Amino acid sequence: MALKFRSTNVFLKPDVSFKSRLVSKFINYIMVQGKKSVAERTFYEAMAICHEREPDVEPLELFEKAVDNVRPSVEVRSKRIGGATYQVPTPVRSDRQTALAFRWILTATRGRKGRPFPQRLADELIDAYKRQGTAITQKENTHKMADANKAFAHFAR
């Protein structure tokens, strides 16, 4: 029997500073070539920058709200029916919502150039917290595509 992994993964230890599994999972997404200490340092530097720029909001609260704002509720999936391919809107599972939010935030962060990574990450998290920025645009585009193709929703399983 295969184990099912959810966003509240019991096998994932909470991070050292915030005691949050969500933060620990995000740090794992930041990590490149197995260098977890570098990813942790990057994330905590970004949280310090977020706290400097938004002193009235706790860094963990800002991070959780930013991720929550980027999570998509629907997406489109290609489905081939009778020789034609349709973009069928489908609801997104909670673990995939989190994965997509992390991916979009990091893609937007890596797309910004000219500054150190922690500063770019802090900028993107603050933008996502305020419901602006590239990651939020990606979510809105996904929702618009799903809305435009809702005529094909009856093809969903």
Side-chain angles (χ1 to χ4, degrees), residues 130-145:
K130 294 178 178 178
R131 295 181 186 272
Q132 27 184 281
T134 311
I136 294 291
T137 305
Q138 178 77 36
K139 174 193 171 181
E140 289 171 353
N141 289 344
T142 301
H143 279 239
K144 283 179 189 173
M145 279 188 60

Side-chain angles (χ1 to χ4, degrees), residues 112 122-134 136:
R112 294 177 181 227
D123 290 343
E124 193 60 42
L125 287 172
I126 290 171
D127 283 350
Y129 176 77
K130 294 178 178 178
R131 295 181 186 272
Q132 27 184 281
T134 311
I136 294 291

Side-chain angles (χ1 to χ4, degrees), residues 63-78:
F63 171 73
E64 288 175 346
K65 184 73 173 164
V67 170
D68 199 43
N69 287 345
V70 177
R71 283 186 176 139
S73 58
V74 291
E75 67 179 343
V76 292
R77 292 189 169 238
S78 296

Side-chain angles (χ1 to χ4, degrees), residues 26-71:
F26 189 72
I27 287 171
N28 288 342
Y29 266 77
I30 294 173
M31 183 170 48
V32 178
Q33 295 183 348
K35 301 201 175 197
K36 190 163 192 163
S37 61
V38 174
E40 287 174 338
R41 185 172 54 240
T42 300
F43 179 77
Y44 294 133
E45 283 180 31
M47 289 293 97
I49 293 168
C50 287
H51 189 60
E52 287 173 12
R53 294 189 190 160
E54 298 287 331
D56 53 327
V57 183
E58 287 297 317
L60 180 62
E61 182 184 329
L62 184 139
F63 171 73
E64 288 175 346
K65 184 73 173 164
V67 170
D68 199 43
N69 287 345
V70 177
R71 283 186 176 139

